[in-house]
Amino acid sequence: MTDIARFEQAQKDVQTLDRKPSNDDLLFLYAHFKQGSEGDVSGKRPGMLDVVKRAKYDAWAKLKGLDADAAKQKYIEKVDALLVSHKG
């Protein structure tokens, strides 16, 4: 399976988890997905009152400079780990 196909499959697999991942895991997945598919963070950092969007932005911003393929690989590995720990 190609890296692109594995990345797309991981996106589908994460939807099959029996329970919701922790907020830290969700931020990890979000940031690595965005870095892998769009590259470095763009746009303005959300304001203090928009806690969720600000946390997502900050998590993605921490990955600045990370190669898209490396971000995709880390996303795939995290999904694989969650599949083992979150499925009954």
Side-chain angles (χ1 to χ4, degrees):
M1 189 178 297
T2 67
D3 287 343
I4 294 171
R6 290 177 57 222
F7 186 60
E8 290 172 353
Q9 185 61 48
Q11 292 169 50
K12 293 175 188 169
D13 290 346
V14 79
Q15 301 297 321
T16 68
L17 296 173
D18 289 341
R19 62 183 195 267
K20 183 179 175 183
S22 70
N23 286 340
D24 288 340
D25 287 338
L26 289 172
L27 283 173
F28 182 98
L29 290 170
Y30 173 83
H32 285 80
F33 174 81
K34 294 292 273 185
Q35 187 71 19
S37 56
E38 295 183 27
D40 288 341
V41 70
S42 59
K44 202 171 138 183
R45 186 177 189 217
M48 286 177 34
L49 299 178
D50 198 342
V51 179
V52 173
K53 286 184 181 177
R54 189 176 180 106
K56 288 179 173 183
Y57 182 95
D58 289 347
W60 185 12
K62 288 178 185 177
L63 300 180
K64 184 176 182 178
L66 181 65
D67 179 66
D69 289 335
K72 288 177 184 176
Q73 184 59 40
K74 288 179 183 271
Y75 179 90
I76 292 165
E77 290 169 1
K78 176 60 89 174
V79 170
D80 288 346
L82 290 172
L83 287 171
V84 170
S85 65
H86 284 62
K87 282 202 103 166

